[in-house]
Amino acid sequence: MLLTIEIIQQIIYSLAVALLLVYLSRLPKHSLFFSSLLFCSLLLAINLIPLYRGSSLVEILRGAIGDVSIASGCIMLAIIAKQFDFREIKPRLFAPLEKNGLIIVGSLLYLSTFSFISFDIYALGYVSQKLLIGVIIITFLLIAYDRVLGYIWFLTLVAYYFHLQASNNLWDYIYDPVLWLVLLIDAAKQLITKIR
């Protein structure tokens, strides 16, 4: 089981870093062939080339950030992969309601974790059948409306059922600090753009 968890985390980090580097190279806007070639080369390089004391870039990132939740990994990959879409009009990955809902949930979760709120929301992830049922209902509603977040949370629920992460807490499968910070930064950027 630990080997499966390690492999899943390695895959999430490898794909995300390789896609991000290809996107930053601006090749996807010019050539799908060369961007695909670069992507495959980067996948090998970031996993096999030792950078610091025999550790690859992916191992260094995992050591610095820690494991990401299954949902965060899927969301991160979807955001980066969406940048490779060659169509002129790109549909939004998340509706504003979904994005704001995730920001509020993350804020409540981490405020309660650091005791700013007296009720421990994180502890609900261990024992609460109500939380699990609520997540299942929201997931199927999102899928019914053909929303990306619904499919991501469905994968997360499958991973939770098979215990594909080290934690037994549902929150560790559907949310983590990396996702919360990315959403907060994105919201701040949009707010600054509107103010200007």
Side-chain angles (χ1 to χ4, degrees):
M1 184 58 74
L2 284 175
L3 183 62
T4 306
I5 294 167
E6 289 295 315
I7 290 170
I8 289 170
Q9 288 294 320
Q10 193 82 8
I11 289 170
I12 289 171
Y13 271 101
S14 300
L15 291 173
V17 171
L19 283 170
L20 181 61
L21 291 173
V22 171
Y23 173 67
L24 292 174
S25 74
R26 307 248 183 233
L27 266 177
K29 296 184 187 312
H30 304 294
S31 169
L32 184 59
F33 172 75
F34 286 115
S35 61
S36 301
L37 186 63
L38 179 63
F39 173 72
C40 293
S41 303
L42 285 169
L43 271 179
L44 291 172
I46 62 177
N47 281 290
L48 299 178
I49 297 174
L51 295 178
Y52 180 73
R53 295 186 180 186
S55 297
S56 68
L57 178 61
V58 170
E59 292 167 337
I60 292 169
L61 284 173
R62 278 192 68 197
I65 299 172
D67 288 348
V68 294
S69 66
I70 301 291
S72 292
C74 292
I75 290 169
M76 181 172 49
L77 293 174
I79 289 169
I80 295 167
K82 186 175 180 294
Q83 305 304 318
F84 292 89
D85 192 352
F86 285 90
R87 292 177 293 172
E88 291 297 319
I89 301 170
K90 297 180 184 179
R92 275 190 286 210
L93 189 59
F94 299 119
L97 181 64
E98 294 167 352
K99 193 181 289 186
N100 293 334
L102 286 173
I103 290 171
I104 291 168
V105 166
S107 299
L108 292 173
L109 180 64
Y110 295 115
L111 286 173
S112 75
T113 301
F114 294 111
S115 299
F116 289 107
I117 298 173
S118 60
F119 183 72
D120 188 7
I121 297 171
Y122 183 77
L124 288 176
Y126 286 113
V127 292
S128 177
Q129 293 296 325
K130 291 178 184 176
L131 176 65
L132 181 60
I133 291 169
V135 170
I136 290 170
I137 290 169
I138 292 169
T139 299
F140 284 111
L141 284 172
L142 289 167
I143 290 173
Y145 286 99
D146 199 29
R147 301 300 308 154
V148 173
L149 185 60
Y151 298 108
I152 290 171
W153 276 14
F154 180 76
L155 288 174
T156 299
L157 289 169
V158 170
Y160 178 72
Y161 179 78
F162 288 109
H163 300 291
L164 296 181
Q165 283 191 243
S167 175
N168 291 326
N169 191 309
L170 179 60
W171 286 118
D172 292 330
Y173 285 81
I174 62 174
Y175 219 97
D176 61 46
V178 174
L179 173 60
W180 184 54
L181 291 173
V182 167
L183 290 170
L184 283 177
I185 290 167
D186 185 56
K189 277 184 184 177
Q190 288 182 355
L191 187 63
I192 291 168
T193 305
K194 286 180 183 178
I195 291 172
R196 289 182 184 175

